[in-house]
Amino acid sequence: MPQNPTTVLKELKAGKFAPIYFLDGEEPFYVDLITDFIEKNAIAEHERSFNQLVLYGKDSNMGQILNNARKFPMMADRQVVIVKELQSLPDLGKEDPQKLLISYLQNPLPSTILVLVHKHKKLDGRSALYKELDKRAVYVRSDKVSDYKLNAWIDEYFKDMGHAIEPKACQLLADSIGNNLEVLTNEVGKMLLNFQGETKVTTEHIAKYIGINKDYNNFEFLKAIGFRDVGKANKIIHYFSQNPKAHPVIPLFSLIYTYFTRIALIHQARVYSDSQVAGVIGVPPFVAKEYIAAARNYKLGKVIEVFRYIKEADLRFKGVDSGSLSESENLRELVYRILH
């Protein structure tokens, strides 16, 4: 079974290196983090020119990779061989090269750290190669963080960084940036440079250092729709229209769709307490209160209509019956139909 990326990182930071690492999955954040750490820390800097080799899948073949893995280090205890973009290796899917790799997995050279980086894709779990890697290598699978798990991930990330974050600020980050962990952690990293010592991050910090307006953002936009606050919803749409690059329409359609999917789940489950709703739709209890209010404002029949409105708005965005509507006008039209 693939290992937890954070557990593997802790072992690496403790100086525990294994002979073989296989990193795959659709989320590149942990794949890059682990690869980068090994590249910078597995051997001393002065040893890297002779004992560290970085190959790229599209320019290599299995024989070349394994021949380099079997070399002994030069005047050092170990060498590092990193293969980036392994998914582009021309002969990776062929039987004989896979047998060569399996043979090496069964008898790796102890003085080599071989890192196989298979980004944006998952290896076939039914294959013999997968089974051998799972058994003999440090296998890390980095999956996308689901929307309903993102708040918990952000909260844990801040703890790992020696800080804390208030629930509303956590929700603001989740709704405004989403589950692109690279973008999210880059923005958080730049913000944390401004703090000395442990800090509890608030919406004011995020507004000041990341530039997400605490009054005009995705979180407040959805809240305005849920509460049927026509005035505020239109003010936020106007704010978004002033900077369309920062607030593209398609992700907003997706957010609205997810929002109403959660409302539909509440109606389907027929639960209306904070804790029950939080469990059903995967949000913190303080956010669940707002969804309960939204569920009262939008009965199931209306929710089904909203899904149709979103589909029609998406088609207009793609040029179907769009007339002369701009992107912001299309969004305004969608929200008008939802609210009225």
Side-chain angles (χ1 to χ4, degrees):
M1 185 174 179
Q3 298 187 31
N4 186 296
T6 54
T7 301
V8 172
L9 275 167
K10 286 176 183 176
E11 290 176 353
L12 290 171
K13 289 173 182 177
K16 298 175 182 178
F17 292 90
I20 304 168
Y21 291 85
F22 189 86
L23 317 172
D24 79 352
E26 296 167 355
E27 172 53 65
F29 175 72
Y30 283 114
V31 172
D32 290 338
L33 206 60
I34 292 170
T35 304
D36 190 57
F37 187 90
I38 294 173
E39 192 170 350
K40 291 178 179 176
N41 297 279
I43 59 177
E45 187 174 359
H46 68 272
E47 295 178 346
R48 291 176 202 157
S49 56
F50 292 109
N51 293 301
Q52 184 157 290
L53 177 66
V54 177
L55 300 170
Y56 288 85
K58 63 186 172 107
D59 302 320
S60 309
N61 58 61
M62 191 65 74
Q64 180 187 0
I65 292 168
L66 297 179
N67 284 339
N68 280 291
R70 289 191 176 97
K71 290 180 180 177
F72 288 97
M74 187 177 294
M75 295 179 291
D77 293 329
R78 59 190 175 197
Q79 69 156 349
V80 178
V81 178
I82 299 173
V83 186
K84 297 183 178 181
E85 300 172 9
L86 183 74
Q87 71 278 2
S88 300
L89 192 75
D91 58 352
L92 179 63
K94 297 178 181 177
E95 185 178 354
D96 288 344
Q98 287 196 8
K99 285 181 178 178
L100 288 175
L101 180 53
I102 288 170
S103 177
Y104 182 82
L105 291 170
Q106 292 169 346
N107 188 27
L109 192 66
S111 56
T112 294
I113 298 172
L114 175 62
V115 184
L116 303 172
V117 185
H118 191 271
K119 281 177 73 171
H120 306 298
K121 295 175 75 175
K122 297 179 183 179
L123 197 65
D124 185 354
R126 300 165 297 178
S127 66
L129 178 57
Y130 172 91
K131 291 170 184 173
E132 286 296 321
L133 284 164
D134 190 35
K135 189 192 308 182
R136 302 180 187 275
V138 174
Y139 193 150
V140 175
R141 171 154 288 173
S142 185
D143 291 319
K144 287 280 186 187
V145 177
S146 303
D147 289 338
Y148 74 93
K149 292 182 178 179
L150 187 56
N151 287 64
W153 190 93
I154 293 171
D155 187 67
E156 192 62 32
Y157 183 76
F158 272 85
K159 287 178 184 175
D160 289 343
M161 299 297 286
H163 299 276
I165 182 169
E166 67 176 20
K168 285 191 175 181
C170 189
Q171 189 69 41
L172 178 56
L173 280 178
D175 284 335
S176 299
I177 298 179
N179 65 350
N180 185 323
L181 300 188
E182 183 179 5
V183 174
L184 179 61
T185 53
N186 281 343
E187 293 297 327
V188 168
K190 287 185 284 187
M191 176 179 64
L192 295 181
L193 291 174
N194 297 281
F195 304 144
Q196 292 184 346
E198 184 177 343
T199 303
K200 185 166 188 177
V201 174
T202 65
T203 55
E204 285 74 19
H205 289 132
I206 291 170
K208 181 177 180 180
Y209 296 115
I210 298 182
I212 300 171
N213 190 300
K214 66 185 180 67
D215 297 312
Y216 298 97
N217 54 67
N218 295 345
F219 178 64
E220 292 298 326
F221 178 54
L222 294 174
K223 184 177 175 181
I225 291 174
F227 281 62
R228 287 196 149 166
D229 188 335
V230 177
K232 186 171 183 180
N234 283 316
K235 285 179 183 178
I236 296 174
I237 290 171
H238 177 73
Y239 176 81
F240 286 173
S241 70
Q242 303 306 300
N243 189 0
K245 287 187 177 179
H247 304 283
V249 167
I250 286 297
L252 289 172
F253 289 169
S254 179
L255 281 172
I256 296 169
Y257 178 82
T258 300
Y259 188 79
F260 279 92
T261 298
R262 288 171 173 166
I263 295 173
L265 287 172
I266 293 170
H267 286 306
Q268 182 183 41
R270 296 182 181 180
V271 294
Y272 298 99
S273 73
D274 295 354
S275 59
Q276 287 176 319
V277 168
V280 167
I281 64 175
V283 298
F286 84 91
V287 179
K289 289 179 184 293
E290 294 168 10
Y291 275 97
I292 292 168
R296 293 193 185 103
N297 286 330
Y298 296 94
K299 303 304 180 186
L300 186 57
K302 178 65 175 179
V303 172
I304 293 168
E305 286 183 4
V306 169
F307 290 144
R308 177 166 57 84
Y309 300 156
I310 295 168
K311 183 178 180 180
E312 290 170 357
D314 181 56
L315 288 171
R316 284 196 298 271
F317 176 80
K318 293 170 181 173
V320 179
D321 297 327
S322 59
S324 59
L325 284 179
S326 67
E327 288 187 15
S328 62
E329 288 169 340
N330 189 15
L331 178 62
R332 193 182 299 276
E333 169 81 6
L334 169 62
V335 174
Y336 177 87
R337 296 179 76 188
I338 291 171
L339 294 174
H340 294 84

